């Protein structure tokens, strides 16, 4: 039986990440970066597409228990067998030059025979490498990729069924450590890491980082786990935050809503910055702000909704026909065509993020304000255009209300920056007029007076969960009847067994796609925020408790959740969901006091 999304745990080195199943199999790993081609792609296919399983010999099922070591990204997986007990510890140490996967097998009780099966398949499971022995290592080479496998102490390996196998027995106090190292095939093998020293240092480094968290309220362990997950999704060389380390995990099993999320979205900008700053992580917040400034530099008309890890602009979308898809969900997509969409809300996200960074005391950058002024000049001339909206719909452009609200945010933050920092120059009168004009239009054209709710787009009867952000961004005060009415309407019409959908997919053509999707967890956190802001804190905390309970056994959240089937959906783990958890915890349980 193919593992479910919630069966996976994450390990990573802040440049890429792997997913490890409850059966002890590494089923997803892209090397050397998050967005590189996978060498283990069982997640989206089958064992023939690449995986690496270490488990007791003859045991096909899941482990007895697993957990991260406290406040780390180091994973312990334990098995109980008739012969004894054994632990496998998985990690990816922060790299010096090359990425390494370290797997340490330790005997706990009795004597247990273990089996390792390594099946490397480069280019998303399509290329079988040439295997050879060299200096006690197994070496796999195909085109640009080379991978070295070694063990300490050495154990016998053999090739069978285009995979590398080994068997060994461990008793109490005995251990065998495996190291898998990637490097470009035209370069010499990188220096070897000491696997046990790497384990020790990784535990210490992660725990020291987690100890910096300033939040000390309820669910602190859960908040720290979300922050560790967010840290693991930061591409350390540039500071960019990937939405998820995976592609094409389905929003509907067997459906076509399968997208590549291994890129950096501007929609995450302010919410991610707020979570990092409020929790005490100034350095990561600064790096994210600086990535944002580099990515958006250039002609404001060319602003994209997402970029590559280093700010790359071209992310062409194509399909991998040889992969069957997770839960038979095809197509499997690489790249993301939505990069070419117009989404006016990102201008508001960028302005809001840079405003928050400036007010929070992040070190100033000399060109940031010039970039903001250029963005405002373009937005003032183009804000009336329809766009594809926050959710990257493929059903045509509309006058999305959330997009216009974020235009208001852009103008508001520009005005407030000039008011708070008089040394800066800008079109104060013009931006004030723009702010007033947008506000008036949204309240006239984007509000359904009969139902007392804002709508998804001008003249539409549909709702959109992004409207829950209206009080958070300051467009209207939380006690405004229109805000209260919108929160109530979204809870009633987009609610799905207590959670929240992004929008209705029933009989509407807004996203241009067949099928359905699950409840969107970030939106459900937004509902908790909105309930709290409108004075319904008890309901907000009850919803938060339920959302926390949707994490898997190691504390990871997906993009979406199916409350009927009780299963995770979408790419995993999802930065947007974990950012939502952190921000909602800070809002509900005294984040300002804790910070």
């Amino acid at each position: 039986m193919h593992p479910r999304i919630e069966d996976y745990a994450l390990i990573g080195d802040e440049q890429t990440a792997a997913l490890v199943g409850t059966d002890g199999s590494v089923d997803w790993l892209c090397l050397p970066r998050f967005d590189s081609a996978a060498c283990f792609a069982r997640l989206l296919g089958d064992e023939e597409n690449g995986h690496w399983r270490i488990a007791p010999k003859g045991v096909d099922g899941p482990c007895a228990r697993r957990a991260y070591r406290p406040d780390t990204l180091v994973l312990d997986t334990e098995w109980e067998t008739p012969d004894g007990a054994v632990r496998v510890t998985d990690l990816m140490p922060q790299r010096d030059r090359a990425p390494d996967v370290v797997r340490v097998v330790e005997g706990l009780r009795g004597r247990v025979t273990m089996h390792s099966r390594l099946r490397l398949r480069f280019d998303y499971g399509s290329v079988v490498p040439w295997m050879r022995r060299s200096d006690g290592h197994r070496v796999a080479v195909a085109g640009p990729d080379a991978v070295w496998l070694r063990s300490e102490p050495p154990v016998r390996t053999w090739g069978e069924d285009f995979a590398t196998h080994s068997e060994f027995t461990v008793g109490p106090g005995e251990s065998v450590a495996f190291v898998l190292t990637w490097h470009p095939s035209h370069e010499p093998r990188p220096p070897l890491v000491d696997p046990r020293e790497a384990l020790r240092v990784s535990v210490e480094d992660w725990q020291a980082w987690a100890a910096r968290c300033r939040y000390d309220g309820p669910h602190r362990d859960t908040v720290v786990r979300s922050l560790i997950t967010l840290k693991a999704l930061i591409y350390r060389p540039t500071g960019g935050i990937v939405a998820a380390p995976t592609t094409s995990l389905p929003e509907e099993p067997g459906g076509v809503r399968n997208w590549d999320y291994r890129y950096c979205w501007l929609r995450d900008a302010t919410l991610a910055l707020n979570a990092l700053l409020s929790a005490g992580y100034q350095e990561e917040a600064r790096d994210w702000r600086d990535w944002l400034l580099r990515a958006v530099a250039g002609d404001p008309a060319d602003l994209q909704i997402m970029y590559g890890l280093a700010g790359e602009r071209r992310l062409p979308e194509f399909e991998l026909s040889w992969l069957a898809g997770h839960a038979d969900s095809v197509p499997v997509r690489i790249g993301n065509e939505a990069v070419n969409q117009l989404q006016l809300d990102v201008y508001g996200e960028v302005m809001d993020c840079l405003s928050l960074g400036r007010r929070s005391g992040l070190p100033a950058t000399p060109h940031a304000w010039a970039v903001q002024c250029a963005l405002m000049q373009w937005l003032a001339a183009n804000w009336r255009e329809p766009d594809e909206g926050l959710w990257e719909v493929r059903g045509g452009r509309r006058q999305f209300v959330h997009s216009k609200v974020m235009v208001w945010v852009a103008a508001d933050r520009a005005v407030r920056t000039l008011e708070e920092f008089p040394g800066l120059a800008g079109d104060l009168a013009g931006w004030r007029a723009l702010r007033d004009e947008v506000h008036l239009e949204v309240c006239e054209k984007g509000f359904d007076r009969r139902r007392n709710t804002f709508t998804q787009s001008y003249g539409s009867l549909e709702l959109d969960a992004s409207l829950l952000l209206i009080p958070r961004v300051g467009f209207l005060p939380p006690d405004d009847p229109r805000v209260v009415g919108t929160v109530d309407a979204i809870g009633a019409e987009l609610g799905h067994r207590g959670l929240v959908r992004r929008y209705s997919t029933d009989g509407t053509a807004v996203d241009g796609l067949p099928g359905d999707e699950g409840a969107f967890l970030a939106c459900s956190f937004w509902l908790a925020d909105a309930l709290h802001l409108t004075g319904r804190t008890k309901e907000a905390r009850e919803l938060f408790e339920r959302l926390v309970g949707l994490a898997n056994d190691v504390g990871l959240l997906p993009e979406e959740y199916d409350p009927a089937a009780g299963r995770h959906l979408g790419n995993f783990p999802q930065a947007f969901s974990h950012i939502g958890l952190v921000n909602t915890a800070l809002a509900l349980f005294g984040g300002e006091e804790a910070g």
Side-chain angles (χ1 to χ4, degrees), residues 363-480:
T365 55
H367 64 287
W369 182 243
V371 170
Q372 290 180 268
C373 289
L375 293 175
M376 287 306 303
Q377 184 177 5
W378 185 90
L379 195 59
N382 295 277
W383 72 270
R384 294 178 180 84
E385 295 295 319
D387 72 340
E388 275 92 1
L390 172 70
W391 305 125
E392 300 154 20
V393 299
R394 302 193 179 195
R397 294 182 177 182
R398 303 186 182 208
Q399 297 286 2
F400 285 103
V401 171
H402 174 262
S403 296
K404 306 306 184 191
V405 167
M406 294 308 294
V407 171
W408 177 90
V409 167
D412 178 73
R413 302 316 188 252
V415 168
R416 287 167 57 183
T417 298
L418 288 180
E419 292 172 345
E420 295 172 18
F421 299 89
L424 298 175
D427 185 10
L428 182 59
W431 294 340
R432 280 175 174 162
L434 173 62
R435 181 176 65 176
D436 293 344
E437 183 181 4
V438 175
H439 197 280
L440 181 63
E441 180 176 294
V442 170
C443 291
E444 286 184 351
K445 297 183 178 180
F447 185 74
D448 184 340
R449 289 173 177 78
R450 182 178 62 83
R451 294 154 65 208
N452 190 35
T453 181
F454 285 94
T455 58
Q456 185 178 58
S457 59
Y458 290 174
S460 169
L461 295 177
E462 301 296 331
L463 301 181
D464 194 300
S466 61
L467 303 170
L468 293 167
L469 295 172
I470 285 175
R472 181 178 186 136
V473 300
F475 183 83
L476 286 173
D479 59 356
D480 188 293

Side-chain angles (χ1 to χ4, degrees), residues 22 62-66 77-80:
T22 54
C63 61
R65 67 189 70 89
R66 65 175 181 172
T77 303
E78 296 183 4
W79 278 269
E80 300 279 351

Side-chain angles (χ1 to χ4, degrees), residues 186-483:
H186 65 278
E187 295 182 359
R189 186 197 69 194
L192 303 179
V193 301
D194 180 329
R196 293 170 179 84
E197 178 67 6
L199 170 58
R200 184 189 66 80
V201 171
S202 291
V203 169
E204 291 180 356
D205 286 352
W206 276 112
Q207 290 179 342
W209 187 86
R212 291 165 45 197
C213 177
R214 297 192 310 207
Y215 176 75
D216 198 28
H219 295 288
R220 186 181 189 278
D221 289 348
T222 300
V223 170
V224 169
R225 175 54 52 199
S226 286
L227 288 165
I228 288 173
T229 304
L230 185 59
K231 170 77 165 169
L233 298 180
I234 295 175
Y235 183 64
R236 184 159 45 93
T238 67
I241 303 174
V242 295
T246 57
T247 179
S248 300
L249 289 181
E251 297 173 14
E252 180 184 37
V256 301
R257 297 168 182 263
N258 318 314
W259 316 108
D260 194 346
Y261 274 17
R262 299 171 299 154
Y263 309 111
C264 307
W265 266 258
L266 300 191
R267 71 180 182 199
D268 301 358
T270 305
L271 296 174
L273 194 72
N274 183 77
L276 292 168
L277 286 171
S278 298
Y281 292 100
Q282 296 280 120
E283 181 181 342
E284 288 77 10
R286 181 203 65 210
D287 291 347
W288 171 235
R289 189 275 314 267
D290 291 348
W291 175 90
L292 184 74
L293 280 169
R294 293 192 302 272
V296 305
D299 187 344
D302 295 332
L303 188 69
Q304 298 183 177
I305 66 168
M306 73 181 85
Y307 296 85
L309 306 178
E312 297 91 344
R313 288 175 169 266
R314 299 190 185 278
L315 310 174
E317 184 177 305
F318 57 96
E319 299 175 3
L320 304 183
S321 59
W322 60 87
L323 290 175
H326 186 88
D328 298 320
S329 307
V330 291
V332 171
R333 295 182 173 94
I334 302 302
N336 202 310
E337 194 175 276
V339 71
N340 299 312
Q341 291 187 353
L342 173 65
Q343 294 182 21
L344 293 173
D345 63 284
V346 298
Y347 291 84
E349 294 289 358
V350 172
M351 293 295 293
D352 196 20
C353 183
L354 297 179
S355 174
L356 174 60
R358 189 177 285 110
R359 294 196 320 271
S360 301
L362 289 183
T365 55
H367 64 287
W369 182 243
V371 170
Q372 290 180 268
C373 289
L375 293 175
M376 287 306 303
Q377 184 177 5
W378 185 90
L379 195 59
N382 295 277
W383 72 270
R384 294 178 180 84
E385 295 295 319
D387 72 340
E388 275 92 1
L390 172 70
W391 305 125
E392 300 154 20
V393 299
R394 302 193 179 195
R397 294 182 177 182
R398 303 186 182 208
Q399 297 286 2
F400 285 103
V401 171
H402 174 262
S403 296
K404 306 306 184 191
V405 167
M406 294 308 294
V407 171
W408 177 90
V409 167
D412 178 73
R413 302 316 188 252
V415 168
R416 287 167 57 183
T417 298
L418 288 180
E419 292 172 345
E420 295 172 18
F421 299 89
L424 298 175
D427 185 10
L428 182 59
W431 294 340
R432 280 175 174 162
L434 173 62
R435 181 176 65 176
D436 293 344
E437 183 181 4
V438 175
H439 197 280
L440 181 63
E441 180 176 294
V442 170
C443 291
E444 286 184 351
K445 297 183 178 180
F447 185 74
D448 184 340
R449 289 173 177 78
R450 182 178 62 83
R451 294 154 65 208
N452 190 35
T453 181
F454 285 94
T455 58
Q456 185 178 58
S457 59
Y458 290 174
S460 169
L461 295 177
E462 301 296 331
L463 301 181
D464 194 300
S466 61
L467 303 170
L468 293 167
L469 295 172
I470 285 175
R472 181 178 186 136
V473 300
F475 183 83
L476 286 173
D479 59 356
D480 188 293
R482 293 167 292 184
V483 170

